[in-house]
Amino acid sequence: MGMVINVQNTHIAKGTKTTTNGVSAYTWDTPQKVQGLEKVTITPITATGEKYGDGILRKKKSKRTGYTLGIDINEIPAELKRYINGLTYTEGVETDDGACSGGAFAIGFEHVKEDDTTEKIWFIWCEAEPIEEENEQSTGDINISSDTVNITAYKLSEYDDRAYVKIWTGDEKVTDEMATDFFTKVQTGTTIEAATQP
C-alpha cells in the first residue's frame, strides 16, 4: 500500500534521453504547470534478495529500485496527454497509428503540511501507462472529466541512482530562494538551481 498525499502546484516537463558512445544524457523542456491534480499515491518499487545456507534463510535484503505514482487529475492538457500516450497529432487530427510508445517526463508537485510548511518534489524521469479517461455526465447536464495516470519513476545511475529531489521549507537549510527556484526547472542534484534565462 502506498502513501497517499494531497498535493498542489503540479508541474510536468517533457524529457529527452540521448546516448552517445554508451553514455546517456537527459534534458527536459521548461516545466508546465498543470491544474487539477489533488491526490497522489506513492508506492516504492522494491527488489528483494535472499541468501540461503544449509537450506535455511540466512539473510534477506530489500532495496528501492524506483517508485509507482498513481494520480487522478481533472484533465491533463491535450498536448501533454498526447505526448504521455504517444499519440500522433497532425493538422488538428489525433491518431493512434503505431506502437504508441509514450514520452518520458518529469513530474513535480508540492504538499502543504499541517504546520503550513511545504514539501516540494521532482520525480526526475518517468513513464506512464496509457491514460485512463473518464467522462461522466452529472445531474444538471454538466460533464465531469478526469484522467487516471499510473506512472513509473525510475532511478537514474547518471544522477547517483536517485529517482527524486525533494526539499522541505521547514528545514532551516532550505532558503526562500531554493523554494522559489524549485519548479523553474527539473532539479536533479543536491543544489537547487534556477532556470537559465534565454
Side-chain angles (χ1 to χ4, degrees):
M1 180 68 182
M3 175 179 65
V4 180
I5 57 173
N6 294 319
V7 300
Q8 62 184 23
N9 203 20
T10 303
H11 290 74
I12 294 177
K14 297 176 184 177
T16 304
K17 176 183 176 182
T18 55
T19 304
T20 307
N21 298 325
V23 178
S24 296
Y26 299 85
T27 56
W28 294 266
D29 290 356
T30 301
Q32 297 180 48
K33 187 170 183 180
V34 179
Q35 302 291 343
L37 179 60
E38 296 177 352
K39 185 169 60 175
V40 175
T41 304
I42 303 173
T43 307
I45 301 170
T46 58
T48 302
E50 297 177 345
K51 184 176 180 181
Y52 287 82
D54 296 326
I56 299 171
L57 178 63
R58 300 289 183 187
K59 189 169 187 179
K60 185 173 181 178
K61 188 169 184 180
S62 297
K63 70 175 185 177
R64 281 188 294 266
T65 57
Y67 296 85
T68 299
L69 311 178
I71 68 173
D72 289 315
I73 192 165
N74 290 351
E75 285 187 86
I76 297 174
E79 178 199 356
L80 276 175
K81 188 183 293 188
R82 287 191 287 265
Y83 175 79
I84 290 170
N85 279 334
L87 303 175
T88 301
Y89 181 74
T90 306
E91 301 296 327
V93 179
E94 177 181 291
T95 56
D96 177 357
D97 61 353
C100 290
S101 177
F105 57 95
I107 185 167
F109 43 80
E110 64 183 22
H111 167 56
V112 179
K113 300 170 82 70
E114 289 182 11
D115 60 0
D116 289 333
T117 59
T118 304
E119 289 181 333
K120 300 183 179 203
I121 190 167
W122 270 114
F123 284 93
I124 60 179
W125 195 256
C126 302
E127 292 177 353
E129 296 176 14
I131 296 171
E132 300 172 30
E133 301 178 41
E134 180 178 329
N135 293 290
E136 179 179 333
Q137 191 166 6
S138 68
T139 55
D141 295 329
I142 297 173
N143 290 326
I144 299 173
S145 299
S146 63
D147 299 318
T148 300
V149 192
N150 293 308
I151 297 169
T152 300
Y154 298 95
K155 288 192 168 196
L156 298 181
S157 58
E158 293 81 4
Y159 295 102
D160 297 322
D161 289 326
R162 65 178 60 103
Y164 68 80
V165 172
K166 178 168 72 171
I167 62 173
W168 172 48
T169 59
D171 186 330
E172 62 185 20
K173 294 184 179 180
V174 173
T175 65
D176 290 342
E177 184 180 32
M178 290 167 65
T180 299
D181 292 343
F182 195 76
F183 291 123
T184 60
K185 64 179 282 188
V186 177
Q187 307 297 334
T188 59
T190 55
T191 301
I192 304 304
E193 300 176 353
T196 304
Q197 298 301 318

